[in-house]
Amino acid sequence: MQRKNKSRNILISRFSALGDVAMTLPSVYNACYANPHDNFYFLTRSHPAQVFINKPENLSVIGIDLDNYKGVAGIWRLARTLRSRFHIDTYVDLHDVLRTKLLRKFLMMSGVKCRHIDKGRAEKRNLTRPNRKMLTQTDSETIRRGFQHCRNHSRRHIPLSLWRRERESSRIHGSKSAQKRG
């Protein structure tokens, strides 16, 4: 599939604490370096925005005060502002909480392609339930999955470090007698 020379505007969001935002930096920087013709915008709180040092030229950090965007109406206002000011084509949600889910829905309603990470909540729930635990291998590299579909489901546009290890469907099962005991 041939790629057109039109640059795209990709919005990435993570509203967590400083450490969570810092852990996303290598993946975000790699995506920026692998796609130099695209514009990336990283949306986060004002304080964690300071950890972006030596950032790629095609990455802009948007630090916002979430107190100005409270409730559903506030998130709607934020989505409208981002869409009109930055002309967003794709939104990558690296947090997947209620606030970013609302933002994702509002951007989707205005025609923005949206992707989000799979935090593996179902696997964690199955692992910690009281009876009949399902022991599965969990994936510690969840951030790369947010970028995995960002470029039209094509791996050639995703840096190797983001999709280095595909999620294997191998499950770690004990013996059959251990499964029956639950």
Side-chain angles (χ1 to χ4, degrees), residues 45-101:
R45 295 176 188 262
S46 298
H47 180 65
Q50 300 168 5
V51 301
F52 288 84
I53 55 173
N54 300 326
K55 61 184 174 65
E57 290 182 17
N58 60 341
L59 175 65
S60 300
V61 180
I62 307 166
I64 62 167
D65 184 9
L66 290 174
D67 291 336
N68 296 335
Y69 302 101
K70 287 187 176 180
V72 177
I75 299 298
W76 171 254
R77 206 171 63 250
L78 176 63
R80 240 184 28 230
T81 303
L82 291 168
R83 179 83 169 121
S84 65
R85 185 170 176 200
F86 300 106
H87 309 288
I88 303 301
D89 299 313
T90 305
Y91 172 59
V92 180
D93 179 4
L94 297 181
H95 204 181
D96 197 32
V97 294
L98 184 59
R99 179 181 287 123
T100 58
K101 287 178 182 181

Side-chain angles (χ1 to χ4, degrees), residues 6 29 52 77 96-97 104 121 128 147 170 174 176:
K6 182 182 178 237
Y29 282 16
F52 288 84
R77 206 171 63 250
D96 197 32
V97 294
R104 189 168 68 224
R121 289 183 177 131
T128 58
F147 291 105
S170 63
K176 289 185 179 181

Side-chain angles (χ1 to χ4, degrees), residues 5-181:
N5 288 335
K6 182 182 178 237
S7 69
R8 295 176 358 140
N9 297 316
I10 301 169
L11 175 68
I12 305 165
S13 72
R14 181 72 190 217
F15 291 123
S16 297
L18 185 68
D20 293 333
V21 172
M23 286 191 308
T24 65
L25 289 181
S27 297
V28 172
Y29 282 16
N30 282 339
C32 292
Y33 290 131
N35 304 290
H37 299 292
D38 292 336
N39 301 311
F40 290 85
Y41 301 97
F42 194 93
L43 181 67
T44 187
R45 295 176 188 262
S46 298
H47 180 65
Q50 300 168 5
V51 301
F52 288 84
I53 55 173
N54 300 326
K55 61 184 174 65
E57 290 182 17
N58 60 341
L59 175 65
S60 300
V61 180
I62 307 166
I64 62 167
D65 184 9
L66 290 174
D67 291 336
N68 296 335
Y69 302 101
K70 287 187 176 180
V72 177
I75 299 298
W76 171 254
R77 206 171 63 250
L78 176 63
R80 240 184 28 230
T81 303
L82 291 168
R83 179 83 169 121
S84 65
R85 185 170 176 200
F86 300 106
H87 309 288
I88 303 301
D89 299 313
T90 305
Y91 172 59
V92 180
D93 179 4
L94 297 181
H95 204 181
D96 197 32
V97 294
L98 184 59
R99 179 181 287 123
T100 58
K101 287 178 182 181
L102 276 172
L103 182 59
R104 189 168 68 224
K105 292 296 179 192
F106 291 147
L107 288 172
M108 244 191 282
M109 288 183 343
S110 64
V112 175
K113 295 176 187 174
C114 298
R115 300 290 180 212
H116 67 281
I117 64 169
D118 175 15
K119 288 187 171 184
R121 289 183 177 131
E123 291 93 351
K124 292 174 191 172
R125 206 174 6 254
N126 288 337
L127 183 62
T128 58
R129 63 185 180 191
N131 298 322
R132 296 179 292 132
K133 295 182 187 302
M134 288 183 64
L135 301 177
T136 58
Q137 182 177 356
T138 57
D139 191 357
S140 62
E141 297 179 23
T142 57
I143 292 171
R144 70 169 169 76
R145 285 186 256 160
F147 291 105
Q148 201 164 15
H149 299 286
C150 184
R151 304 291 294 166
N152 300 326
H153 306 286
S154 176
R155 284 192 172 176
R156 65 185 171 172
H157 298 296
I158 305 296
L160 284 176
S161 62
L162 296 180
W163 59 271
R164 176 181 24 188
R165 184 172 50 97
E166 274 301 318
R167 183 178 193 100
E168 298 154 4
S169 60
S170 63
R171 295 179 182 254
I172 303 168
H173 291 292
S175 65
K176 289 185 179 181
S177 60
Q179 288 179 1
K180 287 180 184 176
R181 280 184 267 141

